[in-house]
Amino acid sequence: MDENMLEVREAYKRYGKTSPVLRGLNMTVKKGTIYGLLGPSGCGKTTLLSCIVGKQHLDCGYIKLSITKRKHIGYMPQDIALFQEFKICEIFSFYGTLYGMQPDRAQRRAFELCTMLDLPNQARYIHSLSGGQQRRVSFAIALLHNPPLLILDEPTVGMDPILCNTIWEYLVKLAHEEQKTIVITTHYIEEAKQSNTIGLMRRGVLLSEESPKQLMESQNCNNLEQAFLELSQKQHHLHQLEKQKGIRYHEYPTSRLNSSPLSLPNKEWFNFPRFLAQLAKNIKWTQRNIGILLFILVLPAFQSYFFCVSFGRDPSDLPFAVVSDELNGFVKSCDELPYNETYSAVLECNIPKSFSCQFMKQLERKLDLVLYEDLNLAKKDASANRVWGVLHVSENFTRSIEERISEGISTTDVAINQSAISVWMDMSNFIIANIIRRNIAKSLIDFLQDVMAACDIPRKVGDVPIRFYDAVYGSNEPVYRHSSAPGFICAFVFYFTLTFTSGAIMMEKMFGLLDRITVAGMTKMEVVLAHLVVQFVLMTAQTTLMLVVLYQFYDNPLNGDFGLTVSLLYTVAIVGIAFGYFLTELLNEERLISYAGIGMIMTMFLINGTVWPMEGAHELLKVWTRAFPIVAAAESYNSITSRGYDITHQDVYMGFVSCIAWIAIFSLGTFWITTRRKGS
């Protein structure tokens, strides 16, 4: 390695079970030279460079470098890989910190490069630059710290020919005068004539590794394109010949596959200046993406508001048909009835109007009554969904009720039948139907108590023979929203942290940002910790807004320790963060991650008690549902806020135990995928 900057020997690489990308490739790059790596798209150039800079492992073979640290490499990926929300000066400052440069040195170097590459004012944002200008900024970043080895993947694509010539002149100067080693890939073969060595790559191997002059002479050609064509045809003919003889072309050495160590392992797991640079980058990205910031902060508050004003409240304005035969004979409404004590002929009761009117007076407090004269017409409207049901009162309802009171067990069957109220209901909506039934039953009890009081009989005689004392927990008039709020807030805290984490990481992965900063020396520990700090601040703001809406603006119960409640929500949020990291390693597309997140949150709403208590679920589901993420936490949250339990109660601490277990599962799963998956 005294003369060579880079050696690649017997390099094999494949992704999954696809065809190999590298098939026993050998490559040698001498110090102080320009090595032009040429080849068609898909031949493995980018994969080879990724293995050289330490982004990926080889399946077999090895890579030797004469440098020992990642900051000794200047890497320009094929993608632009720039933070679009940054200014040019901020990009230089960020990478200067990653490379360990002093701020003033980084500024001077940035000014030199901006002048040489004809870049616009450094106060310009990256997203405001043209594609060619962004590529020049990307190229400048690779040159910023003046490294001994430059790895440039298609640096001149889309650039002006004059500027391309300037860049090549600069690269030649770096190699010859400053003894820099440059490995460059390009589609423009004529550009490569300025290289000291050209490696022609096809089908995962190097066909030739010579100087441009030697290459053309050996193939008896006048230009590099023709030489490449000659070598490609020879390789193709050789492959066909081996195929006819049953020889496998560069057989993949499955018997000795063993993921080789990274060419440049990052032994420094944490560096505080790099961490601060990544943290500042995350903060700026969040601040400058107003839409995402509003989504993160405002949406939870709006969701909590909509939940409180719409979920779990008793339905109102429910039209219900009433047909009273006591009225239809001579009047059409109770308001037309005069005060007449003849309705109480059997008993000496102070009833100003018929008993059916007294009953409807109670009922109209809970339902929107619609009076009908014809029972068949009322049933027809119920079938047409104009009313939720029909209530029918017989003609002798009042006298029959009086007879039942006065005669007791001697009441005739006719009086019993005529004192009964007939109801036909639309039962298509479970909740509305049961609420209407409850209201009718409650109105009937109130009516009977009024009758007893009017007849100088104790009101309690008209009550049902069940005595309800003050509730052990909650209210004697429970609100469904109160019991479903724990599942709601836990699910949304989980979902919002999951969405932001996976979105931020996938944005960096999809545009090559994560790979580039990793090559520059950033460790995954620094990336994770910087994201966690931002997440901590954001989830504090989210949780605060949700709690203010739920417990300050509305009367949801909060009977337990507030600090314990907040601690549980933070634990739930960390589960969401861990799951977000897991999905970004498991799945490679943002679309699939979105599907997975939506599927998870929908499942949680179904099984964490928000929609329906799990006591009503199938027996098999009851067995394992509490092992599902966040379900035990929702039960724990309910026990804290509604029952006032502390951490010593099983229902409370099991929520924390479940969350911690899932954090460990997702974290270990992420680590396993990261270390085991080829190319991760």
Side-chain angles (χ1 to χ4, degrees), residues 487 490-499 572 575-580 582-583 586-587 592-608 610 624-625 627-631 662 665-666:
C490 287
F492 270 98
V493 166
F494 172 87
Y495 181 69
F496 285 127
T497 52
L498 157 66
T499 301
V572 170
V575 178
I577 294 172
F579 187 56
F582 177 74
L583 288 181
L586 180 65
L587 305 172
L592 297 178
I593 292 176
S594 298
Y595 292 162
I598 293 172
M600 177 67 81
I601 196 68
M602 291 300 296
T603 303
M604 286 182 181
F605 273 117
L606 291 176
I607 67 174
N608 70 359
T610 302
W624 64 267
T625 184
F628 203 82
I630 310 306
V631 173
W662 278 108
I665 291 171
F666 290 138

Side-chain angles (χ1 to χ4, degrees), residues 105-168:
R105 181 187 166 213
Q107 290 178 4
R108 289 196 303 271
R109 181 65 174 159
F111 178 78
E112 294 173 3
L113 293 170
C114 287
T115 302
M116 190 270 292
L117 295 172
D118 192 26
L119 290 175
N121 190 296
Q122 292 191 42
R124 290 273 299 275
Y125 284 95
I126 298 297
H127 63 75
S128 69
L129 305 180
S130 66
Q133 290 173 328
Q134 291 188 22
R135 184 161 290 277
R136 277 180 272 159
V137 173
S138 180
F139 178 60
I141 291 171
L143 302 173
L144 180 64
H145 55 305
N146 199 24
L149 175 61
L150 282 171
I151 306 291
L152 309 175
D153 197 358
E154 305 283 356
T156 58
V157 171
M159 288 191 185
D160 180 77
I162 296 177
L163 188 58
C164 287
N165 183 64
T166 302
I167 289 174
W168 269 100

Side-chain angles (χ1 to χ4, degrees), residues 3 12 162 175 192 202 245 255 316 325 381 389 417 420 493 513 581 606 640 646 662 673:
E3 296 182 358
Y12 287 88
I162 296 177
R202 185 173 183 268
K245 294 181 178 181
S255 60
S316 59
D325 290 344
D381 281 0
N417 290 333
V493 166
L513 302 172
Y581 280 116
L606 291 176
I640 297 171
D646 58 23
W662 278 108
I673 295 172

Side-chain angles (χ1 to χ4, degrees), residues 564-565 568 632-633 635-641 643-658:
L564 187 61
T565 303
L568 180 61
E635 294 182 353
S636 175
Y637 190 93
N638 185 52
S639 296
I640 297 171
T641 57
R643 301 187 180 99
Y645 292 166
D646 58 23
I647 191 64
T648 60
H649 197 282
Q650 180 179 356
D651 289 349
V652 176
Y653 69 71
M654 283 306 297
F656 286 91
V657 170
S658 174

